Amino acid sequence: MTFDDLLPHVSPAEAAELASLASGPVLLPGDEGYDAECRIYNLNVPLKPALAVGAADAADVQAAIRFAARQGRPASVKTTGHQQVHPARGGVLISTRRMKGITVDVGRRRARVEAGVIWQEVIDKAAASSSVSALAPLTGPSS
């Protein structure tokens, strides 16, 4: 018996219930867009959640987490798919790639960044918002 066997599949009615609360897509295995929503860079650990949620905003993330909690399912979150370490089987996958808001406050030297933003987008926004000497987001190395 595997973990997949312990949790029943999410029914279309359950998925529709969550979809009525979310502004982003809610996808079951086999739905158009499911594979694209679950795609990651590490092909050795394919993501096969019971349900994939393409969060468009924080309310979608909250709705997906509440859904997972009510069902006793694990929840996983991904943006680009670089750091997934488990296959999300039986769980709810929340993709944040649509959450692209960036607000730069030059006067306070702060930026507010939503969960789907790629760091290069922050650098570009900061550079466009100020002189180079005023704001320069810190960037760490990636091996």
Side-chain angles (χ1 to χ4, degrees):
M1 180 177 283
T2 67
F3 182 75
D4 290 346
D5 300 324
L6 298 175
L7 289 172
H9 295 288
V10 175
S11 73
E14 291 167 327
E17 174 191 339
L18 178 55
S20 73
L21 302 172
S23 54
V26 174
L27 305 163
L28 291 168
D31 286 349
E32 184 176 335
Y34 172 88
D35 289 336
E37 206 64 50
C38 297
R39 189 168 296 125
I40 60 173
Y41 286 98
N42 183 355
L43 300 178
N44 289 320
V45 187
L47 300 181
K48 297 293 182 188
L51 185 74
V53 178
D57 54 33
D60 286 0
V61 174
Q62 292 169 342
I65 292 293
R66 286 185 189 111
F67 178 86
R70 278 194 313 274
Q71 293 222 341
R73 295 179 184 278
S76 298
V77 180
K78 79 170 191 86
T79 296
T80 62
H82 276 95
Q83 297 184 1
Q84 291 301 126
V85 293
H86 61 85
R89 285 192 171 87
V92 174
L93 176 68
I94 303 166
S95 171
T96 61
R97 66 187 169 97
R98 292 169 183 79
M99 298 174 63
K100 301 298 258 179
I102 304 170
T103 304
V104 176
D105 183 337
V106 175
R108 297 178 74 192
R109 298 170 52 105
R110 294 185 182 165
R112 180 172 174 84
V113 181
E114 289 187 348
V117 174
I118 296 169
W119 197 243
Q120 182 63 53
E121 296 165 333
V122 177
I123 293 169
D124 294 344
K125 182 82 170 191
S129 299
S130 67
S131 69
V132 173
S133 62
L135 290 177
L138 296 176
T139 303
S142 176
S143 55

